Amino acid sequence: MARTYRWTFLFLAAVMLIISGCSSSDNASTEASSDKTGLSKDEISNEAFKDLFPLQYDSYQKNAKEEDTKYSGSVKRSKFDEDKEPYLPILFNGYGFATDYNEDRGHVYANEDIRSTMRITDKSIGSCLTCKSTAVPQMIEEMGDEYWGGSFNDVVWPKAESMGHSPIGCSDCHDPETMDLRITRPSFIKAMESKGVDMSNPTKNEMRSYVCGQCHVEYYFAPENGEVTFPWANGFKPENMYEYYDTVAKDRGFEKDWVHNVSGTPMLKAQHPDFETHMEGPHGKAGVSCADCHMPYERADGKKKISSHWWQSPLKTMEKSCATCHSNRDLDDLKDRVVSIQDTHMKALHSAEDISISSHYYVNKMITSGVSEEKIKEAQEHVRKGQWYWDIVAAESAAGFHNPQGAMDSLKISSDESNKAIQIATEELAKKGVNLEELNKEIEKAKKAVLEEKENPKKKEHVINGYFPPQQPAPKK
């Protein structure tokens, strides 16, 4: 493993030297124009842009194609599948992600998928729509807190439909009047300013990442009004965000996303921190934008140069994406190196998840065996950290490649933290005379039951049993 780390470091160091200066703010937004399009500034229908920008529109429509890849792809598949992460119903038990958790699809499916997921219930709030619908910017402006905290099913979704919204698209990133890149989600501006970034006049190249960073990020709902909030005041790294949750967020009244049903631990659920991970990785540090890799320039009609609006893995467009900077590299060799990095990270991720599972069950046994509350809380803090540090890697879309060294560091911390919880539990359970061999056999039985259940929504039901009873907070008086 040490050899792999050394190999990865040398490779990435070379990457940074090659790509540094690759992106130029002068040519980063060649499609933007100060000319008026004739569209209203409030236009939110993707189809309204079709005749004006047919090449870009046709490119965008390709996102409807569903193609699987080794670690992600755009096919609507459950993450519970055996070749994905089949033990997530254990790791997210007590939360909606233990019932339904699918791989991402293309932007064109955003509204369809938000309506079909079982995680949306009558308790869901408007903030859940924030990165799905083109109607959101106007709704935020018109409704304010009534948007963020309003009922998703009864208020926010019906209003978006009445406005004729589209799934995430043209007006989310472009000013309809000029097609200049723009930020439409105020949460992004607030978060960047919270970490001291001047957002008054970003460069064109910065905007080619900023428009993506409005949604491909970690977030939570502010307790006072439900507003989508990014935990960036301390920085983009996982440890920076964890510190934010332990300080700033707690001071505001946010402690947890849910209480874990196995360990009784107040948990954090990482979302999709692609922007943060990229910005802390070698490409981001070198000034390469999200669009440089995921929206490469192409000759759409054999003549006109446009940015592709078909968002894919750069491994599918290497001659347009990677070869622009890595012109002296064999692309097959480069692809093999990327896949090797991803393979290494996914193996380490699954290992960290497995240790995390054990930590939850060990704490469950601490609770049912009458271990002191002080020791239980000490172990739970390690459980919480352990899961945060693997989940921040798992929730990100690049299988480790956006920031290989940073992701491996996070997974190491995760395993260390989960093992600390297990160590505390082991010492305390030994004092209570608990048979640890039996405990480990019961963990494996629970995992097997989850794996063998064919109906995804029922998998969570096998996580707890007579040996591992559910652990939920006492109801509020």
Side-chain angles (χ1 to χ4, degrees):
M1 187 66 73
R3 182 179 180 184
T4 301
Y5 292 157
R6 183 167 58 253
W7 169 96
T8 301
F9 175 80
L10 292 173
F11 170 63
L12 291 174
V15 168
M16 289 186 68
L17 289 173
I18 293 170
I19 65 179
S20 181
C22 173
S23 297
S24 167
S25 61
D26 292 334
N27 66 7
S29 188
T30 57
E31 292 155 43
S33 170
S34 59
D35 296 335
K36 297 291 185 178
T37 63
L39 296 175
S40 164
K41 66 180 180 63
D42 296 324
E43 182 59 66
I44 63 171
S45 170
N46 289 339
E47 286 68 30
F49 296 80
K50 180 178 180 179
D51 293 337
L52 289 168
F53 305 98
L55 300 179
Q56 289 87 345
Y57 183 85
D58 288 345
S59 178
Y60 170 82
Q61 290 299 317
K62 291 179 181 178
N63 289 291
K65 295 182 179 180
E66 297 188 74
E67 299 179 354
D68 208 0
T69 64
K70 189 172 186 179
Y71 293 122
S72 187
S74 57
V75 174
K76 190 175 183 179
R77 289 186 59 194
S78 173
K79 287 180 179 284
F80 300 166
D81 289 352
E82 192 168 348
D83 62 333
K84 295 288 186 178
E85 295 172 81
Y87 299 116
L88 293 183
I90 301 175
L91 291 161
F92 296 124
N93 208 254
Y95 202 40
F97 285 90
T99 301
D100 183 34
Y101 198 180
N102 295 321
E103 291 285 4
D104 300 324
R105 292 202 289 172
H107 288 62
V108 297
Y109 294 108
N111 285 336
E112 178 182 329
D113 288 348
I114 193 69
R115 290 309 302 157
S116 66
T117 179
M118 287 181 278
R119 295 202 307 274
I120 292 293
T121 70
D122 287 339
K123 294 181 180 180
S124 298
I125 61 175
S127 286
C128 297
L129 187 64
T130 300
C131 285
K132 307 298 182 183
S133 163
T134 56
V136 168
Q138 287 184 43
M139 294 174 76
I140 294 173
E141 185 175 351
E142 292 177 15
M143 301 172 66
D145 286 355
E146 291 183 11
Y147 163 76
W148 300 115
S151 168
F152 184 97
N153 285 332
D154 296 336
V155 178
V156 173
W157 178 261
K159 181 173 175 62
E161 283 200 306
S162 71
M163 294 170 66
H165 69 150
S166 293
I168 203 81
C170 309
S171 62
D172 290 302
C173 303
H174 293 280
D175 182 327
E177 291 184 303
T178 66
M179 294 308 290
D180 289 334
L181 292 175
R182 65 174 183 174
I183 298 169
T184 53
R185 270 54 174 186
S187 300
F188 181 84
I189 296 174
K190 290 180 180 180
M192 292 295 278
E193 290 179 343
S194 77
K195 65 190 301 294
V197 177
D198 181 5
M199 294 298 295
S200 62
N201 189 30
T203 67
K204 291 179 180 178
N205 195 55
E206 287 173 336
M207 287 295 291
R208 281 164 59 87
S209 288
Y210 286 178
V211 293
C212 305
Q214 299 179 93
C215 290
H216 290 263
V217 291
E218 161 62 3
Y219 65 87
Y220 71 104
F221 296 159
E224 62 269 24
N225 61 356
E227 182 176 358
V228 173
T229 308
F230 305 161
W232 295 349
N234 299 326
F236 287 143
K237 295 179 179 179
E239 56 266 36
N240 299 144
M241 290 188 278
Y242 191 86
E243 180 188 6
Y244 175 98
Y245 282 123
D246 254 9
T247 55
V248 179
K250 277 189 177 180
D251 289 343
R252 294 181 64 179
F254 177 86
E255 180 188 3
K256 62 187 180 298
D257 283 306
W258 90 104
V259 174
H260 203 283
N261 206 24
V262 175
S263 65
T265 304
M267 302 296 294
L268 298 171
K269 174 68 188 82
Q271 303 304 328
H272 22 65
D274 303 297
F275 176 74
E276 301 97 311
T277 309
H278 164 75
M279 292 297 287
E280 288 294 327
H283 288 80
K285 293 288 189 184
V288 178
S289 74
C290 303
D292 288 325
C293 300
H294 294 281
M295 299 179 66
Y297 290 117
E298 61 182 9
R299 299 288 180 181
D301 59 354
K303 296 180 181 180
K304 187 173 182 181
K305 179 181 177 183
I306 69 166
S307 287
S308 171
H309 282 63
W310 183 12
W311 295 282
Q312 304 180 83
S313 164
L315 293 179
K316 292 186 175 183
T317 58
M318 292 187 72
E319 291 186 0
K320 300 171 185 176
S321 301
C322 308
T324 302
C325 300
H326 301 280
S327 57
N328 61 336
R329 296 299 302 274
D330 179 86
L331 293 183
D332 288 335
D333 178 64
L334 195 61
K335 182 175 182 178
D336 289 342
R337 287 177 178 267
V338 172
V339 172
S340 178
I341 289 173
Q342 293 180 322
D343 287 344
T344 299
H345 279 76
M346 294 306 291
K347 182 178 180 180
L349 170 63
H350 293 154
S351 175
E353 289 176 337
D354 199 52
I355 301 170
S356 186
I357 290 170
S358 294
S359 73
H360 282 291
Y361 279 119
Y362 266 69
V363 171
N364 181 285
K365 198 61 180 174
M366 289 177 75
I367 296 170
T368 60
S369 298
V371 172
S372 71
E373 185 176 349
E374 178 184 359
K375 283 295 181 180
I376 291 170
K377 286 187 175 180
E378 182 182 353
Q380 285 174 334
E381 176 60 21
H382 291 301
V383 170
R384 175 178 161 102
K385 283 185 179 179
Q387 181 141 332
W388 165 258
Y389 278 98
W390 67 252
D391 194 21
I392 201 75
V393 176
E396 200 264 343
S397 303
F401 188 72
H402 280 152
N403 185 3
Q405 189 60 57
M408 289 304 292
D409 289 345
S410 290
L411 293 175
K412 182 180 184 303
I413 293 172
S414 171
S415 296
D416 288 347
E417 290 293 335
S418 295
N419 275 320
K420 286 177 182 177
I422 294 171
Q423 181 180 356
I424 293 169
T426 299
E427 293 172 355
E428 296 302 315
L429 292 174
K431 297 175 185 177
K432 298 290 184 180
V434 173
N435 186 326
L436 295 181
E437 183 178 351
E438 179 185 39
L439 170 59
N440 289 324
K441 286 181 179 179
E442 291 294 333
I443 293 173
E444 292 306 313
K445 283 171 59 177
K447 290 167 65 177
K448 185 173 184 289
V450 170
L451 189 65
E452 291 180 347
E453 173 59 62
K454 300 304 181 184
E455 295 186 44
N456 284 339
K458 291 184 178 181
K459 286 180 177 289
K460 64 182 180 183
E461 298 173 8
H462 300 284
V463 174
I464 55 177
N465 50 44
Y467 192 88
F468 297 115
Q471 303 298 322
Q472 285 293 332
K476 294 181 179 179
K477 294 181 180 180

